[in-house]
Amino acid sequence: MEFDFYTKYKSLDTAELLKMVALPEKMQQSAREAALAILAERGVSGQEIEDHKAARQNEVAIALQHKKQPGHSKLSRYFEKTFFERTRDWDFEEEEEDGNELPEFTQEQKRSVIRYVFLLLLPLLVQAIVVLIAIITLIFLAIQLEIFDQSILFNLLLLLVSLGIVVAIPFFFLKRKKNAWTAMMIYTAYYVGNYLYILYLLESRDGFGEVLTYQVVLYVVLIPLGLYSLFLLNKKLIIDVFELPRKRVENTWAVSLIFPVILFFIFYLYS
């Protein structure tokens, strides 16, 4: 005996019936005919049913597309919103003008930018961990030796300032601030030069036999990561996202190269 779908569906409201007939492949033929008969009795036209069907199938297609996209996570969506939706929060830069709209980007370009951002933040994360370990080590050393002179306090202050810089740069970088891009360029060039300078001192004075294993790993990882970061920061997609004029990019490169050279020359003179 065939099941009485008509009686069962009679108690359902119109919205539920429309939702059911919108996906006919999931219904038995007799069940769909019963649902259509009830909708017809309620004055729902064939055009309304087709419109609802098209809308429902479009929703399903969009959901499937999002599901298939690699790396489409909450974190990715947050970065996409951060970089590609203009906001006026923390907007203290004079060169940013009202009504200056961000160029359109394809989904593939947006995913590329998000991938670049992850790679750019990686060395800064490692730097933050290194500085934090240095702060903890210095504090424990001072407590163990019971030394709290000006030298300890000065070095602690420098480390705290460094930690503040390493944390602040990503914060404003994620808010798509031009000053953060400039600061990241200069800081990255500085720490790459700093580690190269340390390697030079170690090789020229004591050799690498006195270098701890974690220091070797640090130099081997962070130096190429820093050089790659400088390359990524100058990718056209990143330049376009930050809406950087050519003059600003050139000036930042000049400062990024000159500042470390002057600083290390001073260190060399007084070392």
Side-chain angles (χ1 to χ4, degrees), residues 172-225:
F172 288 106
F173 190 84
L174 290 176
K175 289 183 174 290
R176 200 162 48 83
K177 298 303 176 184
K178 295 181 178 65
N179 288 338
W181 179 90
T182 301
M184 186 177 284
M185 274 282 295
I186 296 172
Y187 181 79
T188 303
Y190 163 75
Y191 87 70
V192 169
N194 182 43
Y195 287 140
L196 288 172
Y197 178 69
I198 292 174
L199 287 177
Y200 162 75
L201 290 179
L202 289 171
E203 194 280 331
S204 61
R205 293 181 181 178
D206 305 319
F208 294 109
E210 301 296 324
V211 182
L212 299 177
T213 303
Y214 88 92
Q215 289 178 305
V216 175
V217 173
L218 191 66
Y219 301 146
V220 170
V221 170
L222 277 179
I223 289 175
L225 264 181

Side-chain angles (χ1 to χ4, degrees), residues 83-153:
F83 273 85
F84 301 105
E85 292 184 15
R86 177 177 293 283
T87 64
R88 309 305 295 180
D89 298 338
W90 297 88
D91 194 358
F92 50 79
E93 297 176 10
E94 295 179 359
E95 63 185 270
E96 196 169 67
E97 300 175 357
D98 292 334
N100 183 20
E101 296 298 329
L102 190 65
E104 289 294 328
F105 292 91
T106 65
Q107 282 300 122
E108 183 60 34
Q109 288 175 323
K110 289 180 179 181
R111 286 196 291 270
S112 295
V113 169
I114 293 170
R115 185 169 64 251
Y116 296 156
V117 169
F118 280 128
L119 292 172
L120 286 167
L121 294 181
L122 179 60
L124 290 178
L125 174 63
V126 177
Q127 282 284 88
I129 294 172
V130 170
V131 175
L132 191 59
I133 291 174
I135 291 173
I136 295 172
T137 302
L138 183 62
I139 292 174
F140 273 102
L141 185 63
I143 294 173
Q144 184 179 5
L145 300 178
E146 297 183 353
I147 299 175
F148 300 96
D149 57 13
Q150 290 184 347
S151 175
I152 293 289
L153 294 176

Side-chain angles (χ1 to χ4, degrees), residues 148-165:
F148 300 96
D149 57 13
Q150 290 184 347
S151 175
I152 293 289
L153 294 176
F154 179 73
N155 283 302
L156 182 60
L157 178 62
L158 284 180
L159 289 171
L160 289 173
V161 170
S162 298
L163 183 62
I165 292 173

Side-chain angles (χ1 to χ4, degrees), residues 5-99:
F5 288 104
Y6 183 88
T7 302
K8 178 181 178 181
Y9 292 162
K10 191 75 172 177
S11 60
L12 299 178
D13 59 33
T14 303
E16 289 181 282
L17 290 172
L18 284 171
K19 186 176 180 180
M20 291 169 59
V21 299
L23 298 173
E25 64 276 6
K26 294 187 177 181
M27 298 183 69
Q28 296 181 30
Q29 180 65 26
S30 56
R32 186 167 187 273
E33 289 175 355
L36 290 172
I38 296 170
L39 288 172
E41 292 174 4
R42 296 178 183 180
V44 179
S45 66
Q47 185 60 47
E48 289 180 272
I49 294 174
E50 288 301 316
D51 290 344
H52 189 85
K53 178 180 177 181
R56 178 63 178 165
Q57 289 177 338
N58 186 53
E59 290 176 5
V60 172
I62 292 173
L64 287 174
Q65 183 180 3
H66 284 185
K67 188 176 181 180
K68 291 178 181 178
Q69 285 180 355
H72 196 82
S73 62
K74 290 183 179 180
L75 188 60
S76 296
R77 288 195 293 271
Y78 168 76
F79 280 126
E80 185 171 324
K81 182 178 180 181
T82 299
F83 273 85
F84 301 105
E85 292 184 15
R86 177 177 293 283
T87 64
R88 309 305 295 180
D89 298 338
W90 297 88
D91 194 358
F92 50 79
E93 297 176 10
E94 295 179 359
E95 63 185 270
E96 196 169 67
E97 300 175 357
D98 292 334

